[in-house]
Amino acid sequence: MDNNARIMEIGRLIATDHKVAAAPWDGYALIVVYADGSRKLAGFRYRDGAPPAAATPEATVQLGEQLDALRAGTQVAGKAPWNACVVKIRRDTGRVAVDFDYDTPTQWKIGPETLHTVAERARPQ
């Protein structure tokens, strides 16, 4: 599977996840951070300009495998793989886009003080 097909499959897995689909949404963002030997996910639903609502998909084996394969498949020879990415989905267009972060994964770290800022930074446009 090429990277574009893999991104579409990741989008499909997210959009059909029961936690994501539990409420209406116009846009969705999944933040994926690889740190300390593990993969961390944080997802948000967006609706009509309302504040983001937490909606992290179930960390299924299939989703994890696709994310790991995307990370490996987008690695440039001789360079480290990306440390974070944001998968953004627009429901009206079906568009799935991914932003890769090679240098500053800490900007995606979510804590009580950063939750709103990070969720808004990830908002699909």
Side-chain angles (χ1 to χ4, degrees):
M1 179 180 299
D2 71 11
N3 290 329
N4 289 329
R6 181 161 283 116
I7 289 168
M8 293 307 294
E9 176 63 7
I10 290 168
R12 185 192 69 75
L13 291 169
I14 292 168
T16 59
D17 181 86
H18 66 95
K19 292 180 181 178
V20 175
W25 53 274
D26 301 319
Y28 183 85
L30 177 66
I31 300 167
V32 182
V33 177
Y34 286 82
D36 304 322
S38 67
R39 175 188 346 101
K40 294 178 177 68
L41 307 177
F44 300 93
R45 275 190 301 263
Y46 304 89
R47 177 114 174 129
D48 298 329
T56 302
E58 190 173 337
T60 63
V61 171
Q62 188 177 13
L63 179 58
E65 288 174 347
Q66 291 297 331
L67 290 167
D68 292 347
L70 180 64
R71 188 173 190 232
T74 55
Q75 184 174 0
V76 176
K79 298 193 178 211
W82 46 266
N83 296 306
C85 78
V86 182
V87 180
K88 299 178 181 183
I89 304 171
R90 289 289 318 161
R91 178 162 258 168
D92 58 349
T93 63
R95 183 171 184 260
V96 180
V98 181
D99 295 329
F100 301 107
D101 188 328
Y102 290 85
D103 302 317
T104 56
T106 55
Q107 75 171 321
W108 301 108
K109 185 176 180 180
I110 296 174
E113 312 82 34
T114 62
L115 176 63
H116 181 74
T117 302
V118 171
E120 283 299 332
R121 186 179 318 123
R123 184 184 287 269
Q125 300 301 321

